[in-house]
Amino acid sequence: MMELRIKNISKTYGKSKKALCNVDISLTPGIYGLLGPNGSGKSTLMNIITDNLKADRGCVYYDGDPISKLGSKYREKIGYMPQQQEIYDNFTGEEFLWYMAALKGLEKKYAKNKIDNLLKVVNLTSEKNKKIGSYSGGMKQRILIAQALLNDPDILIMDEPTAGLDPVTSVEINSLINEVQERYNTSSIIITHDLTCAKA
Ligand code: ADP
Ligand code: MG
């Protein structure tokens, strides 16, 4: 079973905004209830373990190898669903997936098929030409799930996939997560406040 070993990670933003101090944990596929109030550093940790942010001190190991050394070999294995942000509001759903496919270096023809397919899986085909800014919270989560799957990852890493959603939508998102895990045979590391988020 794959392991992400987080060893003595510290991160300070700017001169004195301490976000993480000597975090030392091991993550294997599963659902983790990292219970910390807003601002306690959960997303900072997720960005570090997905190699989107550099720690000041410490190291993350994927099955024993430092992710900094594995580089793209590591990033190709993971699909990251970041916490919902407002930054993609001006893209349509489809444009956003094309943008992410380009960042992940997917070949055009492959990306076209993959995007059409994933839009179906997350049930957004009929909304693909609408701006993400007009999407509901659940639709935004669904497009974020789709982008995480573009590169056929082995591991999905999700930062609070149901945060801010109403209970009915949370259930829908949790079952979509279970469905895509089975369909694509991925394992997941999910950080959540939502303790109803069942089987990983
Ligand atoms: P959580 O996900 O638990 O809510 P975050 O990791 O988002 O916590 O934030 C941890 C702390 O770091 C907060 O005080 C937040 O304001 C601060 N922070 C997060 N990102 C940045 C950034 N890019 N620049 C400066 N401070 C940041
Ligand atoms: Mg967060």
Side-chain angles (χ1 to χ4, degrees):
M1 175 131 86
M2 85 86 198
E3 185 204 24
L4 277 180
R5 173 87 174 88
I6 290 130
K7 203 155 186 250
N8 293 319
I9 292 282
S10 295
K11 177 73 190 175
T12 302
Y13 291 108
K15 281 216 164 67
S16 59
K17 177 76 236 170
K18 266 207 166 119
L20 296 171
C21 187
N22 265 318
V23 174
D24 202 85
I25 47 175
S26 163
L27 300 174
T28 51
I31 294 177
Y32 294 86
L34 269 200
L35 298 179
N38 279 340
S40 57
K42 299 181 296 294
S43 294
T44 299
L45 183 65
M46 297 299 267
N47 285 324
I48 289 170
I49 69 178
T50 54
D51 206 20
N52 284 291
L53 183 69
K54 290 272 168 274
D56 300 332
R57 275 191 296 117
C59 190
V60 179
Y61 299 87
Y62 172 75
D63 284 343
D65 292 317
I67 61 170
S68 54
K69 201 183 98 198
L70 294 170
S72 62
K73 259 199 234 149
Y74 172 68
R75 288 190 300 271
E76 279 164 13
K77 281 189 197 297
I78 59 167
Y80 178 33
M81 181 184 177
Q83 194 164 7
Q84 198 182 104
Q85 314 242 307
E86 310 292 307
I87 42 183
Y88 307 116
D89 282 2
N90 284 318
F91 286 102
T92 67
E94 188 179 21
E95 283 166 352
F96 172 59
L97 293 183
W98 272 108
Y99 173 72
M100 295 306 291
L103 287 183
K104 292 177 188 221
L106 298 195
E107 193 255 318
K108 266 221 172 91
K109 204 167 158 208
Y110 183 81
K112 168 89 180 89
N113 279 327
K114 196 80 201 172
I115 288 169
D116 286 349
N117 208 277
L118 286 172
L119 281 166
K120 277 190 206 127
V121 169
V122 301
N123 199 17
L124 283 173
T125 304
S126 59
E127 318 288 333
K128 68 178 184 180
N129 295 320
K130 293 187 184 148
K131 290 203 169 180
I132 291 178
S134 73
Y135 281 11
S136 66
M139 289 160 72
K140 286 181 184 175
Q141 295 308 70
R142 283 189 269 141
I143 203 80
L144 283 177
I145 290 171
Q147 65 76 31
L149 292 165
L150 280 167
N151 55 319
D152 294 307
D154 295 337
I155 313 148
L156 280 171
I157 299 180
M158 304 192 168
D159 187 356
E160 304 215 54
T162 59
L165 302 179
D166 63 74
V168 173
T169 310
S170 291
V171 169
E172 280 170 17
I173 292 299
N174 283 336
S175 58
L176 177 62
I177 290 169
N178 284 328
E179 187 195 317
V180 300
Q181 285 186 118
E182 278 170 28
R183 181 191 286 248
Y184 298 103
N185 198 19
T186 61
S187 39
S188 302
I189 292 173
I190 301 176
I191 302 272
T192 183
H193 268 137
D194 177 6
L195 301 176
T196 64
C197 187
K199 57 181 178 176

